[in-house]
C-alpha cells in the first residue's frame, strides 16, 4: 500500500476516532472502509442494475450488529474484507461501463 497525507477538519477526525474505538481498527483502516462504503453507495445510484450481496442495507445491519453486541476482531476484519472485495468488483464494473460509453 502507498501512504498518503489527508487533511481532515476536526469534526471529521473526531468521527473517525470514534469509529476506531468502536471497530477496533486503525485510523487508516477506518478511512479506507469509509471510502469503500461511499463508493458502494454511489455505485447503487449510478448503476442500479449492478447487483451485490453487500449493499447499503447489509452494511447498515452489520454496523448495527457490531454496535449492539460483542464481536470478535476476526469478524470485523472479515466484514472489512467483504467491503474491500465488493468495492473492487464495483470499480471494475464501473471501469468496464465507462469504456463502453467511450466506444459509443
Amino acid at each position: 500500500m502507498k501512504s498518503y497525507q489527508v487533511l481532515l477538519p476536526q469534526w471529521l477526525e473526531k468521527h473517525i476516532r470514534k469509529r476506531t474505538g468502536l471497530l477496533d481498527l486503525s485510523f487508516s483502516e477506518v478511512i479506507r472502509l469509509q471510502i469503500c462504503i461511499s463508493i458502494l453507495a454511489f455505485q447503487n445510484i449510478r448503476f442500479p442494475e449492478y447487483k451485490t450481496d453487500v449493499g447499503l442495507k447489509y452494511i447498515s445491519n452489520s454496523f448495527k450488529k457490531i454496535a449492539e453486541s460483542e464481536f470478535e476482531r476476526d469478524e470485523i476484519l472479515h466484514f472489512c474484507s467483504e467491503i474491500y472485495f465488493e468495492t473492487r468488483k464495483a470499480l471494475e464494473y464501473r471501469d468496464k461501463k465507462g469504456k463502453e460509453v467511450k466506444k459509443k
Side-chain angles (χ1 to χ4, degrees), residues 19-26 29 71 73 76-77:
R19 298 303 167 267
T20 62
L22 174 67
L23 299 172
D24 192 24
L25 296 172
S26 72
E29 288 171 316
F71 59 88
R73 180 159 169 78
I76 292 292
L77 296 177

Side-chain angles (χ1 to χ4, degrees), residues 3-36:
S3 177
Y4 294 93
Q5 182 177 12
V6 179
L7 300 175
L8 301 171
Q10 284 184 333
W11 60 268
L12 190 52
E13 182 262 343
K14 284 182 182 179
H15 167 77
I16 293 169
R17 290 250 181 251
K18 285 181 188 176
R19 298 303 167 267
T20 62
L22 174 67
L23 299 172
D24 192 24
L25 296 172
S26 72
F27 198 86
S28 294
E29 288 171 316
V30 172
I31 289 174
R32 203 167 29 253
L33 187 61
Q34 294 277 234
I35 290 170
C36 288

Side-chain angles (χ1 to χ4, degrees), residues 86-103:
E86 290 298 326
T87 303
R88 189 173 187 167
K89 282 182 11 184
L91 290 175
E92 287 171 356
Y93 180 86
R94 184 185 294 180
D95 290 346
K96 180 182 171 190
K97 283 293 188 182
K99 288 178 185 174
E100 288 176 8
V101 170
K102 287 180 184 178
K103 287 180 183 179

Side-chain angles (χ1 to χ4, degrees), residues 45-97:
I45 295 166
R46 178 68 176 91
F47 301 104
E49 74 278 7
Y50 181 77
K51 301 298 178 206
T52 178
D53 293 335
V54 182
L56 293 180
K57 190 167 202 146
Y58 171 81
I59 293 168
S60 178
N61 289 340
S62 296
F63 277 123
K64 185 177 179 182
K65 179 183 165 190
I66 289 165
E68 292 176 348
S69 65
E70 292 293 319
F71 59 88
E72 298 292 323
R73 180 159 169 78
D74 289 347
E75 292 176 285
I76 292 292
L77 296 177
H78 177 74
F79 171 72
C80 291
S81 292
E82 282 183 291
I83 298 297
Y84 300 151
F85 178 77
E86 290 298 326
T87 303
R88 189 173 187 167
K89 282 182 11 184
L91 290 175
E92 287 171 356
Y93 180 86
R94 184 185 294 180
D95 290 346
K96 180 182 171 190
K97 283 293 188 182

